[in-house]
């Protein structure tokens, strides 16, 4: 049976179609989920894609966190369902407190859009098993609220538990503390990152590389083996 | 009817790049002697009915769960009575 991966669309989401496509390129079935629906349509995993949900009013991801679909996503994530938050999706995951810390405006206040080098620090999460720890990948980055912050205790805890999943290489694009580009929860089923793997799954578009495909093949493998 | 104001500010230890950008523009505009600027948010809530302890407790909860992200922000809740003249204006409508 094909794995079913839900992709949530909030008002203001813009990367839902690219994410659905990435899911299909990896060989899974992409299931569109609407922010007003509590029903997750029996998906095996959920991706919260990038964009500007609810216009990023109040704080990025703050209003989406209280949408009907997120009630179900939070409940299922706590029960172990894999959830990946990309960019705005990562912001939503910090607002839900499924992931610790918070996101601030980039330290230089500019919107940034470029190819970004990352190091995969944790290759044991549900979304990173097809990478190897220490592997360097290049995927697009585009955001203005991408500065990851948390208090020292939380940062030390993330480091000690191996929960810094990705780190920026060759320059920190937004002032994120300890060069953190992405983190995972304790169980490894919830992962958030600022750069966009869904824009680097086919050689013809984006960076011309397919470095992002591993996220979607990782989850597929995990679900098929489960 | 009363107005309740919720002021939200980034915690002192959190970097405020927007406030810094404003501060850096001040000398250029001829304003000297301002060594720091921090930018916050102000929410004005018009409340139906009396703002009693129960209503304030609800607003406090609203501020804590939604208006502020307490990982990075502090907030203050204040009650502001709506002026009598405004009440009269509204009654006349």
């Amino acid at each position: 049976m094909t794995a079913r991966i839900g992709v949530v669309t909030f008002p203001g989401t813009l990367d839902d179609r690219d994410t659905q496509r990435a899911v299909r390129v990896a060989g899974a079935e992409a299931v569109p989920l609407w922010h007003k629906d509590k029903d997750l349509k029996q998906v095996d995993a959920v991706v919260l894609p990038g964009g500007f949900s609810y216009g990023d009013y109040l704080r990025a991801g703050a209003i989406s966190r209280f949408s009907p679909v997120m009630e179900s996503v939070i409940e299922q994530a706590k029960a172990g369902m894999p959830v990946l938050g990309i960019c705005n999706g990562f912001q939503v995951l910090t607002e839900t407190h499924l992931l610790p810390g918070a996101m601030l405006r980039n330290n230089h206040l500019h919107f940034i859009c470029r190819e970004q080098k990352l190091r995969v620090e944790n290759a044991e999460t549900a979304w990173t098993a097809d990478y190897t720890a220490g592997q360097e990948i290049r995927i697009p980055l585009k955001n203005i609220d991408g500065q990851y912050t948390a208090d020292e205790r939380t940062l030390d805890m993330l480091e000690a538990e191996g929960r810094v999943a990705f780190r920026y290489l060759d320059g920190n694009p937004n002032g994120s503390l300890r060069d953190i580009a992405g983190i995972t929860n304790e169980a490894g089923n919830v992962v958030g990152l600022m750069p966009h793997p869904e824009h680097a799954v086919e050689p013809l578009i984006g960076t011309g590389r397919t470095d992002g495909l591993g996220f979607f093949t990782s989850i597929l493998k995990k679900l098929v083996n489960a | 009817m009363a107005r309740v104001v919720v002021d939200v500010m980034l915690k002192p230890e959190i970097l405020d790049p927007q406030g810094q950008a404003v501060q850096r523009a001040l000398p250029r505009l001829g304003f000297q002697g301002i060594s720091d600027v921090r930018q916050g948010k102000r929410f004005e809530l018009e409340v139906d009915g009396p703002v009693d302890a129960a209503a304030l407790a609800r607003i406090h909860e609203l501020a804590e769960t939604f208006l502020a992200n307490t990982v990075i922000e502090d907030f203050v809740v204040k009650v502001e009575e709506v002026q009598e003249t405004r009440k009269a204006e509204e009654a006349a409508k």
Side-chain angles (χ1 to χ4, degrees):
Chain A
M1 216 181 79
T2 322
R4 289 163 56 82
I5 301 181
V7 178
V8 177
T9 301
F10 299 101
T13 296
L14 15 117
D15 294 325
D16 43 348
R17 295 301 185 94
D18 284 44
T19 305
Q20 289 170 20
R21 187 173 173 82
V23 165
R24 286 193 298 268
V25 168
E29 183 188 348
V31 180
L33 297 174
W34 184 235
H35 68 112
K36 277 188 181 167
D37 294 335
K38 259 185 150 173
D39 179 14
L40 295 187
K41 301 183 182 166
Q42 294 177 312
V43 294
D44 304 299
V46 164
V47 183
L48 306 175
F52 296 88
S53 59
Y54 295 87
D56 273 356
Y57 291 125
L58 187 57
R59 294 178 306 277
I63 299 179
S64 336
R65 178 247 173 281
F66 293 96
S67 62
V69 74
M70 283 307 297
E71 280 178 45
S72 307
V73 169
I74 292 167
E75 192 185 305
Q76 291 299 309
K78 284 180 178 165
M81 181 184 72
V83 177
L84 175 66
I86 301 167
C87 197
N88 192 244
F90 186 14
Q91 293 157 346
V92 173
L93 289 176
T94 59
E95 284 287 336
T96 60
H97 306 301
L98 284 171
L99 294 174
M103 222 63 73
L104 295 170
R105 187 135 293 198
N106 295 345
N107 58 347
H108 45 70
L109 291 175
H110 296 289
F111 186 91
I112 192 163
C113 180
R114 73 178 197 203
E115 194 180 311
Q116 176 68 46
K117 199 167 168 187
L118 300 177
R119 186 167 57 231
V120 181
E121 303 277 20
N122 184 335
E124 284 165 30
T125 77
W127 301 91
T128 56
D130 264 359
Y131 297 103
T132 51
Q135 186 177 345
E136 294 179 7
I137 59 173
R138 291 217 310 263
I139 58 177
L141 171 84
K142 53 185 177 98
N143 63 65
I144 189 159
D145 291 303
Q147 181 180 181
Y148 181 76
T149 190
D151 59 31
E152 285 296 310
R153 237 183 87 206
T154 304
L155 293 168
D156 288 342
M157 181 264 293
L158 289 172
E159 303 268 11
E161 294 178 4
R163 288 170 54 190
V164 176
F166 312 94
R167 235 184 278 267
Y168 295 116
L169 290 181
D170 294 348
N172 183 329
N174 46 32
S176 288
L177 296 180
R178 303 196 192 180
D179 298 334
I180 290 173
I183 55 175
T184 177
N185 68 343
E186 207 176 350
N189 63 309
V190 180
V191 171
L193 78 162
M194 284 317 289
H196 290 260
E198 80 282 14
H199 295 325
V201 297
E202 288 169 301
L204 267 177
I205 54 163
T207 57
R209 304 163 66 103
T210 58
D211 290 12
L213 190 59
F215 283 82
F216 305 96
T217 54
S218 294
I219 189 62
L220 190 56
K221 222 173 265 177
K222 180 182 166 65
L223 293 172
V224 169
N225 293 338
Chain B
M1 200 172 75
R3 173 181 294 164
V4 177
V5 175
V6 181
D7 281 315
V8 177
M9 291 296 294
L10 280 173
K11 288 180 178 175
E13 68 271 24
I14 302 284
L15 177 78
D16 177 9
Q18 295 180 102
Q20 284 183 348
V22 173
Q23 193 267 329
R24 280 198 300 268
L26 293 177
R28 216 162 53 229
L29 300 171
F31 295 101
Q32 307 297 334
I34 295 174
S35 56
D36 193 29
V37 175
R38 298 191 57 86
Q39 179 174 323
K41 294 184 193 123
R42 172 186 165 103
F43 299 87
E44 297 183 351
L45 314 178
E46 303 293 340
V47 182
D48 300 329
V51 182
D52 51 17
L56 271 178
R58 289 287 295 155
I59 290 169
H60 197 272
E61 190 191 344
L62 158 76
E64 191 167 29
T65 52
F66 187 46
L67 299 181
N69 178 347
T70 55
V71 174
I72 46 171
E73 292 167 329
D74 293 324
F75 66 91
V76 180
V77 178
K78 287 179 296 197
V79 183
E80 253 182 29
E81 292 303 325
V82 174
Q83 287 173 356
E84 287 304 316
T85 48
R86 210 180 129 191
K87 272 189 193 166
E89 273 172 26
E90 278 174 13
K93 273 180 200 167

